[in-house]
Amino acid sequence: MRRTLTFLATAIIAIASTVVIASPANAHGYISSPPSRQAMCAQGRVANCGDIIYEPQSVEGPKGLRSCHGGVGRFSQLSDESKGWPATSVGNSVTFNWVLTARHATSTWEYYVGNTRIAVFNDGGRQPGATVSHNVNLGGRTGRLKVLAVWNIADTANAFYSCVDLQR
Ligand SMILES: [Cu+2]
């Protein structure tokens, strides 16, 4: 009996610690509006997105990438330009809203169109709130635009990536 109890206790601890270790996978951030590609997938507005529908906040990869899926293989659909991503109509000035499920200390937030960085916000290592908004000027660009937003974490080598399709 005692041995059975010990086994059960060990099993429960093992299961509990797995849950604790697994939870950081749910704890990061993404752009909710205008809807990013991962938001479009999570909301069911784009079909056949794969795993990203369960964790739109988890597009985490090394800093310095310029890809919508942050180099994460199981999220590669986010970089598939043939998926017909809906583009949100905007003016020249756009407010991008992030939802952060973990408020990581932040170095910078960057916004790119192609290889041109159109905006950068420096948080100097501060911890952001649970939501963050940035007003970005599109610089008079018109037509269909793909904005890549990058959240650079201050105390790790990683960043979070979020692409937003716009029509201007
Ligand atoms: Cu995180």
Side-chain angles (χ1 to χ4, degrees), residues 27-28 102 104 160:
H28 319 292
H104 296 298
F160 290 87

Side-chain angles (χ1 to χ4, degrees), residues 17 29 41 57 70 87 98 105 110-111 128-129 133 138 146 155 167-168:
S17 59
C41 288
Q57 68 276 18
W98 291 77
E110 300 178 293
Y111 291 83
S133 296
L138 296 177
K146 182 176 79 173
D155 51 5
Q167 181 68 43
R168 160 85 176 105

Side-chain angles (χ1 to χ4, degrees), residues 27-28 100-106 126-132 151 153 155:
H28 319 292
L100 308 185
T101 56
R103 297 162 53 208
H104 296 298
T106 301
R126 288 194 307 274
Q127 185 183 34
T131 60
V132 171
W151 175 26
I153 306 306
D155 51 5

Side-chain angles (χ1 to χ4, degrees), residues 12-90:
I12 288 167
I13 290 167
I15 291 165
S17 59
T18 302
V19 170
V20 169
I21 290 165
S23 61
N26 294 322
H28 319 292
Y30 70 108
I31 292 180
S32 59
S33 79
S36 59
R37 290 186 175 187
Q38 52 263 62
M40 291 282 183
C41 288
Q43 293 167 12
R45 292 180 61 185
V46 173
N48 302 317
C49 291
D51 289 351
I52 195 66
I53 63 171
Y54 304 111
E55 42 179 329
Q57 68 276 18
S58 294
V59 186
E60 179 177 21
K63 287 176 179 143
L65 302 182
R66 295 288 173 271
S67 85
C68 296
H69 69 291
V72 181
R74 68 194 179 97
F75 299 150
S76 61
Q77 288 95 330
L78 295 173
S79 292
D80 182 351
E81 303 302 331
S82 74
K83 282 190 83 65
W85 300 101
T88 304
S89 291
V90 295

